[in-house]
Amino acid sequence: MPEHTAASRLQLSGLCFLLQILTIILFAVFVRYSPESSPSLCSQNCSWRNQDSGFQHPRFCDVHLRALLGFGLLVAFLGRYGPRSMAISILVVAFAIQWAVLIQGFLYLFLNGKIYVGAQSMVSADFCTAAILISTGAVLGRVNPVQMLLLTLLGVTLFALNEYILLSLMGVSDSGGSLTVYTFGAYFGLMVSRILHQPHTDKRKEQQDTEHQPDIFAVVGTLYLWIFWPSFTSATVVRDNTEPWAVLNTYFSLAASTLATFVLSPVLYEESTLRMVQIQDATLASVAMMGMAGEMLVTPFGALIAGFLAGLIPPLGFRFLTPILCSRLKTQDTCGVHNVHGLPGILGALLGTLLAALATADAYGGRLELVFPLVAQGSRTATDQALCQLCALPVTLLLATLGGCLTG
């Protein structure tokens, strides 16, 4: 099929050229650097608070490395797709960051006909990229690079819309992205996978993918996640006052989730030794669980409990839920994003809702204004804030599933 292969290469080349020319033109017309002395250009409830307090280069590098290497290595485990998956991940990252800066800029930073970008806008673009990389994990090996670019084009747009509705319009607190990143990314990708379902083709490819790469990819990926996840979770907190909470809660959660894997996996599986990929899954699940609650008053023992529960989800999910997802719901989930990102993200949103309902000025002190500004100002009660946090879950699921249908 040389002609078909040549046509595919030309399609990819042409689409990359058109998308890059389009972004260059849009950047030339609209995008400018934000002056360091300028005030924040959005309301206090959006993820762009503290827009330019210096470049914060170490934090940006941590978030970017986590997106590029952490997620990139996660999709390199299939024997037939290892190196190719890494290349496609880098392609997705390269385009998603550019497109996210534009779409998020139009929603948040559009002033006097221009988009003013700074350090925090790049961090937010990386958050968007993370959601898209999660989505690609559900369809890995079943779509070509051209389709991946189209998925990224629509996925970034829908992600930005969902984020704007939740953070700016509803005033939801979700600094680490339990809803905006993990839940949206997982169910958007799963719905695309469901629409693309082809029984005979999917079964044949699943059989071909049984050979896995050595666990070295999982080893390196897990190490990167352990090093950079705390920085990722705390990257969009309002000020440094709340950053230690997010960092420490994430570390406690990571530790407990790892032990949970060693507790449950030997019981569910007959393997004599625990595979590194199982620890990797627990690491991802714990951070998805802690995404919304990271900057809240979880308390150290609460973070341990949440992490432990998150670590139980992937082994249980892969053992009991994945076969149902594949056989009854006709949805192939190549990287298990439902167990690793989707379910922990939903539980993280429920945890954040509970903590919002319990938030008081006595418990938070001056930090209440940073975490729940509307509650601190008296515009909302803690119960109202919790209700908004809870309503954000069906909104995210609705946008993810409808958007996934459209994209598929």
Side-chain angles (χ1 to χ4, degrees), residues 258-340:
T258 301
L259 262 67
T261 305
F262 280 88
V263 168
L264 195 56
S265 291
V267 177
L268 295 178
Y269 302 99
E270 297 178 356
E271 298 175 356
S272 57
T273 57
L274 196 69
R275 293 184 58 201
M276 194 67 186
V277 69
Q278 294 169 319
I279 302 176
Q280 170 186 280
D281 292 339
T283 302
L284 289 163
S286 68
V287 182
M289 180 82 135
M290 198 53 59
M292 179 180 287
E295 66 174 343
M296 300 178 188
L297 188 57
V298 183
T299 71
F301 80 89
L304 290 175
I305 294 173
F308 187 80
L309 293 176
L312 299 176
I313 295 174
L316 288 171
F318 281 110
R319 182 63 183 270
F320 300 109
L321 294 181
T322 298
I324 296 175
L325 197 69
C326 186
S327 61
R328 297 187 181 180
L329 300 181
K330 310 301 180 185
T331 304
Q332 185 180 353
D333 185 5
T334 309
C335 292
V337 299
H338 180 250
N339 308 317
V340 177

Side-chain angles (χ1 to χ4, degrees), residues 194-250:
R194 175 62 184 88
I195 298 300
L196 296 179
H197 174 68
Q198 295 178 338
H200 302 295
T201 304
D202 288 348
K203 185 176 180 179
R204 184 173 65 251
K205 288 189 175 183
E206 188 177 358
Q207 292 173 348
Q208 292 173 341
D209 292 341
T210 53
E211 179 188 355
H212 285 64
Q213 296 279 8
D215 269 2
I216 185 63
F217 289 109
V219 172
V220 179
T222 304
L223 291 176
Y224 270 107
L225 294 176
W226 264 84
I227 294 170
F228 296 117
W229 267 131
S231 297
F232 177 81
T233 305
S234 64
T236 61
V237 295
V238 186
R239 292 180 179 84
D240 291 340
N241 300 29
T242 52
E243 183 178 358
W245 282 7
V247 171
L248 293 175
N249 287 333
T250 303

Side-chain angles (χ1 to χ4, degrees), residues 178 182-183 186-187 190 285 288-289 310 313-314 316-318 321 336-350:
S178 284
Y182 302 103
T183 303
Y187 290 101
L190 286 170
M289 180 82 135
I313 295 174
L316 288 171
F318 281 110
L321 294 181
V337 299
H338 180 250
N339 308 317
V340 177
H341 301 286
L343 287 178
I346 290 176
L347 292 179
L350 297 178

Side-chain angles (χ1 to χ4, degrees), residues 16 75 105 115 123 132 179 205 231 242-243 249 299 364:
C16 288
V75 299
I115 298 172
V123 171
I132 303 307
L179 282 177
K205 288 189 175 183
S231 297
T242 52
E243 183 178 358
N249 287 333
T299 71
Y364 279 78

